[in-house]
Amino acid sequence: MIRILYQIFRTGLITEPLPAAAEGEIIQVGTKLEGAIGKLFRGSLTIRQVDAGSCNGCELEIHAINNSFYNCERFGIHFTASPRFADMLLVTGPVSRNMEIALRRTYNATPSPMLVVAVGDCGCNGGIFGESYASLGGVDKVIPVDAYIHGCPPTPAAILNGILKAVSG
Amino acid sequence: MSMLTDALTAALGTTVQFDKKQYPPSIILCSVPRDKFGRAATVLKKTYALLAAEWATDETYFGGSLAVFACYRWGNEYMIVRSELPLDDPSFPSLSKKFVPAYRFERQMQSLMGVVPSGHPDLRPWIKFEDWPQNVFPLRKSYDASCPMQRTKGEYQWVRAEGEGVYEIPVGPVHAGIIEPGHFRFQAVGETVLNLEERLGYVHKGIEKKFEALSWKDGAKLAGRVSGDTTVAHSIAYSIAVESMTIGTVTERAHWIRALFLERERIANHLGDIGAICNDAAFAFMLYQFSRLRELVLRTNHKLFGHRLVMDKVVPGGVTADITNEGKKDILSELDLISREFERLVVIYDESSSLEDRMRDTGILSPEKARELCSVGIVARASGLNLDCRLQHPFPPYDRFEVNVPVLISGDVHARVWVRVEEIRESIRIIRFILGALPSGPIYTDIGLPSPDTSGFAAVEGWRGEIIYWIQAGPRAEINRCMVRDPSSVNWLGLEQAIPGNIVPDFPLCNKSFNQSYSGHDL
């Protein structure tokens, strides 16, 4: 036990303020995000992540926004197991043919109002997989999408930026 | 002569024809008549060979028909046995009663290529879903992959268990966490699992078919996206297979930098895994500590190589990111920090009795089963099989230095964690060695294009295990077929076998300790 406490104190707080968005926004994304979530979602934005056919690269980076550096919980963002509790669907793609029905069902199970954010180049437009017998292309081919986060995979900071964009509409 | 060649020619005589168009020359490709395909498997099994992969090709572009291939591994040898099948009767003797992983390979071959394994005990489709039209085989050349596929009616036939108190738990495809989709169905009595059945294929994106429409250069990009967490290892395997078919040679420096990327990928993924496994045993402290270390590795990658996962930096002909002396210093000081912190966390892991209670004797895959299932990689090494391509089939630069491979025999969750712990230590040592011995020179050479009508092979040890690529060039030197065998294709069977007898709440723990790729399996 003493080792655990010692390690926690030695590590200290490593959470850092978010870098400004690529377009040169001066105000830090984090504060804006916190403000938007506070106003629109009463301080809590609940996300259901759906992998609709990605290569799992995007999942790794979505995981990373939970780590102590990005610490998305400080803005009130947390991930839920059930679409019934979700305010936002974070969908990675391309949407495979075999996941189409499951994605539609998840969408229908999410109470409105809700936001849908497509993550990664494949989620935005099908990426390298494009459209074929097995891949339907971007997420918006199957369900309506409110915001897009480009990148292969997008960095954790880009994902947080994209969530902000979606929230502030 | 090799051991496998000797055994095969002794048993089958002159019916075995050796092919000279397979590269690199150390890989033996031979053809046997269709009715001897099963006999060849029996012979090779008696020499203690293991089945590494099985696949089918459509060779109508060569004026041929269909063909089936089985790749066997014994010690440091790989042998590929091929049989031609006529288009009007594409059946061949099933290997699934001789080698268990053939069970899924053959279901997949039948679903996607339409070859018929006769004598196969279970011909439910695999990857192909019940709502695909019956006689549609996407990997056939006659199939137009650009058209969307219709939906038909159908239902998957699950294995059932009946009896008093037996109930079923269906899980997925959309899981509770941030993970890939797949379906698991448990039959349980009380808390104890009687049977687990996996159903995968949800993330099938038609990768193997897509390769056939790409240039050799673009193929490397696609290979890097077969499984995002293994992007480096997949691009290295693709590149080595392509390079084996061309006359150019890759520079020493490029090989060493590839190994640097590969070992960094291993460290990053193992760090993430150990934290996540502990988190599934409700020890969140470890998750946050280990994901901190993982993030440090990714940040250094981004700073030095321009991508957090080092995607698209390995191409046929070399690499596209170099390392400077400054970069070497960055990595060395990063490694000092990581290994110091890592060792402290390992002590905490080791001293935590509540973790030990969950990890030990949970999800056991016995060495006998692991061998029977032809498991590879960390799963095999946690179950007593000393298999590692870096050791047995060393690709450059691993033929220049020694690699210590940890092998444990208990086959439980703890063993799979401990293999990762030892591998992180070893990878840190290897990276320090690589940085000291890195040869100078260019990092990229133009290797030209593969010659028509040849095939190339590569086996690379990614962080999950052995990745195999087998690429066939068509008559116009295009990609005619690119077979991808991610370690997940065989290791998913191991999870299915490790679960029965465990309690349902231990499933996430066991699953995470295997941590197989859905995307790499479904393709």
Side-chain angles (χ1 to χ4, degrees):
Chain A
M1 195 65 207
I2 195 76
R3 281 189 208 276
I4 298 177
L5 292 174
Y6 188 42
Q7 178 70 19
I8 289 172
F9 286 121
R10 189 172 34 221
T11 311
L13 271 183
I14 55 170
T15 305
E16 46 192 35
L18 274 184
E23 296 87 46
E25 284 173 56
I26 304 154
I27 309 164
Q28 305 225 302
V29 176
T31 349
K32 273 176 88 176
L33 191 52
E34 205 176 352
I37 291 173
K39 205 168 122 205
L40 300 168
F41 294 92
R42 291 282 171 117
S44 153
L45 176 70
T46 306
I47 300 180
R48 167 71 254 201
Q49 193 269 340
V50 184
D51 175 343
S54 94
C55 73
N56 76 30
C58 292
E59 275 64 35
L60 295 176
E61 297 299 54
I62 295 174
H63 261 297
I65 72 171
N66 283 301
N67 75 27
S68 320
F69 287 95
Y70 300 100
N71 186 13
C72 65
E73 295 252 1
R74 72 185 136 147
F75 308 125
I77 299 175
H78 47 97
F79 288 85
T80 175
S82 168
R84 303 266 180 217
F85 308 139
D87 301 311
M88 176 186 280
L89 291 181
L90 206 56
V91 189
T92 59
V95 183
S96 70
R97 183 191 182 281
N98 290 349
M99 268 304 283
E100 185 193 354
I101 296 173
L103 176 62
R104 280 188 204 282
R105 280 189 188 159
T106 309
Y107 180 79
N108 292 335
T110 314
S112 51
M114 63 156 143
L115 293 166
V116 178
V117 179
V119 180
D121 286 345
C122 303
C124 294
N125 55 26
I128 192 167
F129 303 104
E131 286 175 38
S132 71
Y133 76 96
S135 156
L136 305 178
V139 178
D140 55 11
K141 293 268 157 51
V142 181
I143 55 173
V145 173
D146 299 289
Y148 299 84
I149 302 174
H150 288 273
C152 188
T155 58
I159 295 175
L160 283 174
N161 269 319
I163 293 175
L164 165 73
K165 240 195 214 163
V167 174
S168 51
Chain B
M1 285 291 264
S2 82
M3 163 91 177
L4 296 179
T5 323
D6 288 348
L8 203 62
T9 40
L12 298 180
T14 52
T15 53
V16 187
Q17 302 276 320
F18 290 93
D19 195 313
K20 297 272 175 262
K21 290 172 183 164
Q22 170 68 44
Y23 297 94
S26 57
I27 307 297
I28 309 148
L29 173 66
C30 61
S31 295
V32 298
R34 164 164 67 155
D35 52 328
K36 297 280 196 308
F37 191 66
R39 172 92 182 109
T42 313
V43 169
L44 294 174
K45 184 164 187 177
K46 279 189 185 151
T47 65
Y48 298 102
L50 294 175
L51 183 72
E54 196 183 0
W55 67 96
T57 58
D58 182 337
E59 299 180 349
T60 43
Y61 279 5
F62 303 95
S65 53
L66 301 171
V68 285
F69 294 75
C71 176
Y72 303 91
R73 178 192 336 102
W74 179 86
N76 53 7
E77 293 175 26
Y78 283 94
M79 175 184 246
I80 305 173
V81 178
R82 169 181 183 274
S83 282
E84 261 182 56
L85 313 178
L87 268 172
D88 52 349
D89 169 31
S91 67
F92 66 99
S94 162
L95 309 185
S96 50
K97 287 182 183 160
K98 302 175 182 79
F99 291 100
V100 182
Y103 163 73
R104 279 210 186 139
F105 287 136
E106 288 173 357
R107 282 173 70 185
Q108 189 169 342
M109 287 153 70
Q110 193 200 25
S111 298
L112 301 180
M113 188 65 96
V115 292
V116 185
S118 49
H120 193 289
D122 170 12
L123 280 179
R124 289 174 296 164
W126 188 248
I127 305 290
K128 176 179 186 167
F129 273 17
E130 70 285 347
D131 63 359
W132 293 24
Q134 268 297 308
N135 289 315
V136 161
F137 305 115
L139 285 181
R140 292 252 181 122
K141 289 289 167 192
S142 52
Y143 182 81
D144 177 11
S146 60
C147 296
M149 195 188 287
Q150 292 171 335
R151 285 190 195 276
T152 58
K153 277 205 178 336
E155 202 181 329
Y156 192 72
Q157 299 299 315
W158 294 95
V159 173
R160 298 273 173 198
E162 283 172 7
E164 201 180 303
V166 180
Y167 65 99
E168 255 187 8
I169 314 173
V171 185
V174 180
H175 294 293
I178 306 171
I179 53 168
E180 299 178 79
H183 188 101
F184 301 105
R185 194 162 286 215
F186 306 92
Q187 276 99 24
V189 175
E191 288 225 299
T192 311
V193 179
L194 288 180
N195 185 42
L196 161 67
E197 191 179 0
E198 296 159 356
R199 191 197 180 197
L200 305 171
Y202 288 92
V203 278
H204 176 65
K205 298 180 281 285
I207 289 178
E208 286 184 318
K209 185 76 176 178
K210 186 80 190 173
F211 268 116
E212 298 169 15
L214 294 178
S215 68
W216 295 95
K217 197 171 147 235
D218 290 342
K221 280 193 141 180
L222 185 57
R225 284 159 183 80
V226 166
S227 182
D229 50 16
T230 324
T231 172
V232 172
H234 271 279
S235 352
I236 295 180
Y238 174 83
S239 300
I240 292 182
V242 173
E243 286 151 9
S244 72
M245 303 154 75
T246 62
I247 44 167
T249 45
V250 175
T251 61
E252 278 292 291
R253 187 177 178 85
H255 279 311
W256 286 71
I257 291 181
R258 282 180 183 179
L260 172 69
F261 294 163
L262 189 64
E263 297 305 327
R264 290 186 66 78
E265 183 172 84
R266 197 181 314 279
I267 292 177
N269 280 297
H270 283 352
L271 286 172
D273 273 4
I274 298 173
I277 295 169
C278 294
N279 189 49
D280 278 343
F283 199 17
F285 161 79
M286 289 296 223
L287 174 70
Y288 289 101
Q289 290 287 335
F290 274 105
S291 52
R292 166 186 170 231
L293 300 185
R294 179 187 152 84
E295 179 71 20
L296 292 175
V297 177
L298 299 189
R299 287 184 172 200
T300 312
N301 283 348
H302 186 71
K303 184 179 165 202
L304 300 180
F305 312 122
H307 195 287
R308 285 163 57 90
L309 308 175
V310 204
M311 219 172 229
D312 298 333
K313 302 297 172 200
V314 178
V315 291
V319 290
T320 58
D322 204 352
I323 182 162
T324 58
N325 281 336
E326 284 299 298
K328 284 185 190 173
K329 276 185 205 146
D330 281 351
I331 291 185
L332 287 175
S333 59
E334 173 224 66
L335 286 184
D336 286 343
L337 172 72
I338 286 178
S339 68
R340 197 172 56 235
E341 296 283 296
F342 174 71
E343 292 305 333
R344 285 181 184 140
L345 294 172
V346 170
V347 171
I348 294 175
Y349 170 87
D350 221 19
E351 286 181 348
S352 167
S353 52
S354 61
L355 266 186
E356 195 173 3
D357 185 42
R358 292 291 302 276
M359 307 274 185
R360 298 233 185 211
D361 296 332
T362 307
I364 296 177
L365 183 69
S366 69
E368 295 77 25
K369 271 191 181 161
R371 196 185 157 79
E372 213 175 300
L373 298 172
C374 304
S375 303
V376 296
I378 36 177
V379 173
R381 291 195 286 277
S383 294
L385 294 186
N386 187 8
L387 290 176
D388 190 320
C389 303
R390 294 177 297 171
L391 209 65
Q392 275 113 14
H393 187 74
F395 42 99
Y398 292 97
D399 46 356
R400 317 290 157 75
F401 53 84
E402 232 173 272
V403 179
N404 300 311
V405 175
V407 179
L408 279 82
I409 55 163
S410 57
D412 52 3
V413 173
H414 168 74
R416 286 186 284 276
V417 171
W418 206 254
V419 165
R420 287 172 166 105
V421 168
E422 293 283 358
E423 287 191 11
I424 290 174
R425 288 173 177 157
E426 178 65 4
S427 292
I428 290 176
R429 187 192 68 81
I430 293 175
I431 291 179
R432 285 191 177 129
F433 176 77
I434 287 176
L435 291 179
L438 192 65
S440 56
I443 54 167
Y444 180 81
T445 36
D446 194 359
I447 50 161
L449 290 176
S451 11
D453 198 10
T454 51
S455 50
F457 175 94
V460 164
E461 191 75 14
W463 67 273
R464 271 195 190 92
E466 170 201 58
I467 294 167
I468 295 180
Y469 271 69
W470 181 85
I471 309 179
Q472 185 180 40
R476 285 173 287 109
E478 80 285 18
I479 303 179
N480 184 64
R481 176 88 166 88
C482 179
M483 190 284 296
V484 182
R485 217 277 350 255
D486 190 83
S488 316
S489 303
V490 282
N491 283 353
W492 272 117
L493 283 163
L495 177 68
E496 221 175 48
Q497 292 302 311
I499 296 299
N502 287 272
I503 56 172
V504 178
D506 274 343
F507 173 72
L509 187 64
C510 300
N511 188 20
K512 198 70 213 177
S513 74
F514 278 82
N515 194 15
Q516 296 303 307
S517 167
Y518 299 73
S519 183
H521 170 278
D522 296 351
L523 293 174

